Amino acid sequence: MKIKSLQHSFVKFIPKTLDEGVLYVSIEYCTAAHNCVCGCGNRVVTPISPTDWRLLFDGETVSLSPSIGNWGFECQSHYWIKQSKIEWAGKWKKEQINAGRNKDFQDKKEYFKQKDAEILGQEIESKVESTIKSNQKKGFWERLLNKLGL
Ligand SMILES: [Zn+2]
């Protein structure tokens, strides 16, 4: 049976068996999971991250963005979870799925490139800092030695 809306349940761990019509959300593990709303019983796991899904909780309802496309299941269900309601979206053609996957890949690449740049920036900063510190140390010893007339 097709499910029209999902209840949300905030949990620490996603349970092994999911109740139909419940969207489990683990903030701690940045993951949401539910059973495919077509009723096929397949488990749909949606990681929450800048490059995966975004979760919107307005105090009463939850929304996930972007849409959920279960291309890996036989049902090929494609829907949105908007304010806890299921909005069915059209089935995608193969090219669209590939284009979507490609875009996802590009997004991830961009994201990690940015992350890498951030980490590299931090490394450079800490290197500069330690160089300054060791220079300061040298300065101290040099001054001490000068003081002692050595
Ligand atoms: Zn399904």
Side-chain angles (χ1 to χ4, degrees):
M1 216 188 75
K2 274 191 183 179
I3 284 155
K4 290 197 181 100
S5 65
L6 289 173
Q7 287 180 322
H8 56 269
S9 172
F10 289 104
V11 291
K12 188 172 177 188
F13 301 107
I14 307 289
K16 276 204 178 83
T17 42
L18 307 180
D19 281 344
E20 294 283 324
V22 180
L23 178 75
Y24 296 87
V25 179
S26 169
I27 297 294
E28 202 161 334
Y29 294 97
C30 297
T31 306
H34 67 284
N35 274 349
C36 178
V37 298
C38 86
C40 67
N42 277 307
R43 185 189 182 94
V44 182
V45 178
T46 45
I48 298 160
S49 86
T51 59
D52 294 293
W53 278 270
R54 277 169 294 278
L55 178 84
L56 183 74
F57 175 54
D58 66 6
E60 287 180 8
T61 65
V62 287
S63 306
L64 274 180
S65 163
S67 63
I68 293 161
N70 294 332
W71 320 121
F73 305 154
E74 213 167 295
C75 64
Q76 301 267 299
S77 294
H78 182 207
Y79 50 87
W80 290 85
I81 300 172
K82 280 185 186 167
Q83 295 184 305
S84 293
K85 289 200 178 71
I86 305 301
E87 268 180 36
W88 287 89
K91 275 194 182 159
W92 278 12
K93 292 198 185 80
K94 234 193 185 133
E95 305 86 70
Q96 283 175 304
I97 296 170
N98 287 338
R101 280 198 182 134
N102 202 20
K103 192 188 169 294
D104 187 51
F105 177 71
Q106 291 300 336
D107 284 354
K108 277 203 163 60
K109 224 166 71 178
E110 266 310 301
Y111 175 74
F112 286 112
K113 222 161 68 188
Q114 229 175 318
K115 277 266 164 203
D116 279 353
E118 274 170 30
I119 291 164
L120 197 66
Q122 281 166 6
E123 268 174 19
I124 290 169
E125 251 171 54
S126 71
K127 260 186 202 143
V128 167
E129 226 168 75
S130 66
T131 310
I132 290 170
K133 268 191 196 139
S134 73
N135 279 346
Q136 280 170 344
K137 251 188 222 153
K138 205 162 107 197
F140 168 78
W141 285 109
E142 264 170 22
R143 264 178 304 180
L144 189 70
L145 293 175
N146 283 338
K147 229 189 213 170
L148 296 169
L150 296 168

